[in-house]
Each structure stands twice: as structure tokens, then as C-alpha cells.
Amino acid sequence: MSNLPPSLVDKTVAVLGGTGPQGRGLARRFAAAGLPVVIGSRSAERAAATAEELAAATGGAVTGADNAGAATSGDIVVVAVPWDGHGELVAGLAGELAGKVVVDCVNPLGFDKQGAYALVVEEGSAAQQAQALLPDSTVVGAFHNVSAVKLEDPEVTSVDTDVLVLGDVREATDLVQDLCDTIPGVRGVYGGRLRNAHQVEALTANLISVNRRYKAHAGVRVTDI
Amino acid sequence: MSNLPPSLVDKTVAVLGGTGPQGRGLARRFAAAGLPVVIGSRSAERAAATAEELAAATGGAVTGADNAGAATSGDIVVVAVPWDGHGELVAGLAGELAGKVVVDCVNPLGFDKQGAYALVVEEGSAAQQAQALLPDSTVVGAFHNVSAVKLEDPEVTSVDTDVLVLGDVREATDLVQDLCDTIPGVRGVYGGRLRNAHQVEALTANLISVNRRYKAHAGVRVTDI
């Protein structure tokens, strides 16, 4: 626990959509880093089952709840739900999420036989949609481009990628950069304001193309910093 | 010259907008790699002056012409003009560019006191706009995120970045990946179809934010490939 930076001591991280691959992978890594984690899901039972698995796998403190319960418990709340239903979920939790840092890692993508492509989002990006629906929360975009396969693989001891962290409030982006840095190999890099979140979300479509072409689980590093 | 891959032997590269920082930087590197380069500019005189400088600096074969002349001379034509005027320039050279691989590296960005942001492009991206205006050319997107400062600095012997190469025709993206690889340190990586070019163009806004925050000239590497 002593490895946690001061900003994260005594902080509980909730992961909404924590039973999906991305949420489960992030929850696993946060738990392994010594952070108390609450898995959120539409089904409290499925959340509890995933929590039990992750607690056993990591030795960390992982519990499960429905999404509203997890949102209430978390000091930092990660939103890792599918894009379809993102707005509805977030809007319904505005009260629970008030005053908190909400980390949106949702990628609005479509898929057809030519692969993945970015969807047009009325608010500009999933992160901006969340901020519009959560006027009393501070939304930060992060973890868009991290391979769930790598996060979930216990044999991957170092996840070789940077995470671009997007937001308009320095204290919140600094906190989320610290959260990124708890995952071995990962570096949180400030990547600009929330208005520039769209392209980072959409870049996941390019990484899916890279993965197909090169048979990889690609990530992104920022050079010269 | 013998270091050139077979695909680039006897190929002339034209760089439209070759007197601006990005075009000048790319032209310098291509010339240094042994490729014959034609600098294009609205002003043939300014193109000739830049060409003379780059020939002296690199020992390469660099000549200058107006943009139409350069488009005619090039086997591969790089479009490195400002976004403002991009469509007009490209449309006016449709005849000269017919049958050629056109490499678009234009980033449609706006700037205000909060920094850079991505502009909405009716066709989706600059690259898609070019393809729509050049039905008889094969448009490939590339070189969006490469630091002009690094390209232009003769003391930078290795430009530490990958270049995401976007396009719908495999032969053309392979060729442009080879072109990327002529620049020391640079690796051309297939990054998806043209419909996914927008976010790569727009990512330059994020890198501008990174550069401000970290006092850097950031680039991007793709991991796990």
C-alpha cells in the first residue's frame, strides 16, 4: 500500500461496467496496486462474482455492487460501460457522482466488415457527453487506448503503453495521471483539454486496424517526454 | 542511393507547400535519403530558393517549381499546405495528380487562447476531402504527427516517432510506409482505412497540448508491433 502516491491514499476506485473486459482489466490492476476497488454492474450479483474472482487473483480488496452503489462508494469513479447506453447510465447517476472525479474511458465506435470506425457524437466525445450530463462532477478522459487483453493477462507484468489523460481541471488530470501510474508499465500523460478527447477515443479504431494487420495488442507511447 | 527500397528507386517525390516548415522538413529528409525532390509552392521563386538551400544542406537533388509544376514532376506527391486553401489547391491539380499516389499530411486545426482543437471537416478529414476531389488519384494519409522542428533540425540524426499511414489501397500504403522508413528513426505503421484519418489528423492538437505542458516536440510510437 505504501507504494501509492499521496493523492491516492485512502481513495476507493469504483469501476462502472466493471464486469466487461476493459473495466475488469482496469479493476484488476488497481486492486493489484493496493487500491480498494468496487466493481459496478447492472447486476449486483455479477459484480459480486467478478469482485470475488479479482480479489482472489490479486489479493486486493475488491467488492461488488450495482452501478449506483458503486458510484456512491467510489471516490474516483471509472466509467467503462459500452457506448450504447453510456448517456443513459451517466445521466441516471448524476446525484451519486456529484463532487467526484469521473474517469470516462468509453470509445464510441461502430463496426462493419471493414473494421472499426469512429461514431459522430453530438457533444463531441463520450467524455464531453459525460461532462454535459454531470455538471457537478469533474470528468477526465483516460484509458481509451489500453488493451483489455493486456490488462487482464496476469502474465503481463508490464503494460507497455502511455495513457493520454484529458481534462479541464489540473487537479483532476494530475490525480488520474497518478492513477495511471499505479499500473506497471503505464505512464499517464496529460493530453489536452476535454474538447480534444474525441480523437483519442476514436484512435482506438486505428489501433484495432493495427491489431488486425500486425496480429498485436497495440498501445501508444508519446516520445520526447 | 542503394539504401532505397525497390519501391522507391527512380521515384521523384514532390512536396506541395514545400516552403512551409512541415513540407520543408519532409523534403530535407527525403533528399537526404537519396530521393529526387521537387519543392512546390505558390511562388516558383520561393520554391527555387528553398530547393537551393536544401540541396546545399543535404547534397541531394532538390529543385523547385510552382505547385502545378511540382505535381506534374512527382511520382509521389506530398500535400503539406495549410488547411486553409487545401481543398482549392487540391481540386485545381486534379489533372496533374491523376494516376499518382498523393500523400496528404494536412491537419485541420483551429487555435484559440486555450490552444489547438480539431476542426469539423465536411468530408470527415483532410485526406478524405483530397480523395473526394481527386477521383483518379490514390490518396494516403501520413506524416500528420511528425514534429517539423525535428525534421528540420540537422542535429537530429534520428526522428523518434512512428508515422501512422492511412489508406484504402494496400499497394499505396505499403509504398508510403517505405517512404516513411527512409527517414532515420521513423517507422511507417499501417493505421487503418482513410475513413479513420480524422482522428490521426486531429491528434496533432493533443500533441500540441503535450508540447506545451512538457516543453517537448512529442511524437507517437505504437507498441507491441
Side-chain angles (χ1 to χ4, degrees):
Chain A
M1 310 292 153
S2 58
N3 284 332
L4 289 173
S7 65
L8 292 174
V9 171
D10 295 328
K11 292 287 201 307
T12 293
V13 180
V15 182
L16 311 188
T19 57
Q22 191 76 4
R24 209 166 50 210
L26 290 170
R28 166 187 281 270
R29 298 292 174 167
F30 297 146
L35 286 159
V37 173
V38 182
I39 300 285
S41 173
R42 278 175 298 181
S43 153
E45 288 71 30
R46 284 200 295 134
T50 296
E52 197 171 337
E53 284 169 29
L54 293 181
T58 63
V62 190
T63 57
D66 63 11
N67 280 321
T72 301
S73 300
D75 298 299
I76 302 169
V77 181
V78 176
V79 179
V81 299
W83 167 241
D84 188 21
H86 171 266
E88 197 182 346
L89 174 97
V90 167
L93 298 174
E96 288 85 347
L97 297 173
K100 299 184 177 181
V101 171
V102 174
V103 185
D104 201 294
C105 42
V106 174
N107 296 317
L109 299 181
F111 294 87
D112 61 20
K113 60 187 175 184
Q114 294 188 334
Y117 58 95
L119 298 174
V120 173
V121 178
E122 194 187 330
E123 296 85 351
S125 62
Q128 286 164 292
Q129 182 186 80
Q131 186 63 82
L133 294 168
L134 301 172
D136 297 323
S137 305
T138 303
V139 174
V140 173
F143 301 114
H144 302 98
N145 310 136
V146 185
S147 162
V149 173
K150 298 262 185 189
L151 290 172
E152 290 216 83
D153 186 343
E155 296 190 7
V156 174
T157 54
S158 178
V159 181
D160 181 18
T161 194
D162 289 341
V163 167
L164 287 170
V165 176
L166 303 132
D168 297 341
V169 178
R170 177 71 185 256
E171 190 183 5
T173 57
D174 282 353
L175 177 69
V176 176
Q177 286 182 249
D178 286 346
L179 184 62
C180 295
D181 293 348
T182 65
I183 304 176
V186 172
R187 178 177 64 160
V189 174
Y190 173 72
R193 301 179 72 87
L194 222 50
R195 67 175 179 176
N196 282 318
H198 163 71
Q199 53 266 28
V200 179
E201 297 173 359
L203 191 69
T204 304
N206 301 86
L207 295 179
I208 290 170
S209 299
V210 169
N211 290 346
R212 284 191 177 197
R213 173 66 61 89
Y214 298 93
K215 314 292 180 212
H217 300 292
V220 169
R221 286 279 187 205
V222 180
T223 61
D224 200 42
I225 63 167
Chain B
M1 311 293 157
S2 58
N3 284 332
L4 288 174
S7 66
L8 292 174
V9 171
D10 295 328
K11 293 287 202 305
T12 294
V13 180
V15 182
L16 311 188
T19 56
Q22 191 75 4
R24 208 167 50 208
L26 289 171
R28 166 188 282 269
R29 298 291 175 167
F30 298 146
L35 287 159
V37 173
V38 183
I39 299 284
S41 173
R42 277 176 298 182
S43 153
E45 288 70 31
R46 283 198 296 135
T50 296
E52 196 171 339
E53 284 169 28
L54 292 181
T58 63
V62 190
T63 57
D66 63 12
N67 280 321
T72 300
S73 300
D75 298 298
I76 301 169
V77 181
V78 176
V79 179
V81 300
W83 167 242
D84 188 23
H86 171 264
E88 197 182 347
L89 174 97
V90 168
L93 297 175
E96 288 84 347
L97 296 172
K100 299 185 178 181
V101 171
V102 174
V103 185
D104 200 293
C105 42
V106 174
N107 296 317
L109 299 182
F111 295 86
D112 62 18
K113 60 187 175 185
Q114 293 187 333
Y117 59 95
L119 298 175
V120 174
V121 177
E122 193 185 331
E123 296 85 353
S125 61
Q128 286 164 292
Q129 182 185 81
Q131 186 63 82
L133 294 168
L134 301 172
D136 298 323
S137 305
T138 303
V139 174
V140 173
F143 301 113
H144 302 98
N145 309 137
V146 186
S147 161
V149 172
K150 298 260 186 188
L151 290 172
E152 290 215 84
D153 185 344
E155 296 191 7
V156 174
T157 54
S158 179
V159 180
D160 181 19
T161 194
D162 289 341
V163 167
L164 287 169
V165 175
L166 302 131
D168 297 339
V169 178
R170 177 71 185 255
E171 190 181 6
T173 57
D174 283 352
L175 177 70
V176 176
Q177 285 182 251
D178 286 346
L179 184 62
C180 295
D181 293 348
T182 65
I183 304 176
V186 171
R187 178 177 65 159
V189 174
Y190 173 72
R193 301 178 71 87
L194 223 51
R195 68 176 179 175
N196 282 318
H198 164 71
Q199 52 266 30
V200 179
E201 299 172 357
L203 192 67
T204 305
N206 301 85
L207 295 178
I208 290 169
S209 298
V210 169
N211 290 346
R212 281 191 180 196
R213 172 67 61 92
Y214 298 93
K215 315 291 180 214
H217 300 292
V220 169
R221 286 280 188 204
V222 180
T223 59
D224 200 42
I225 65 166

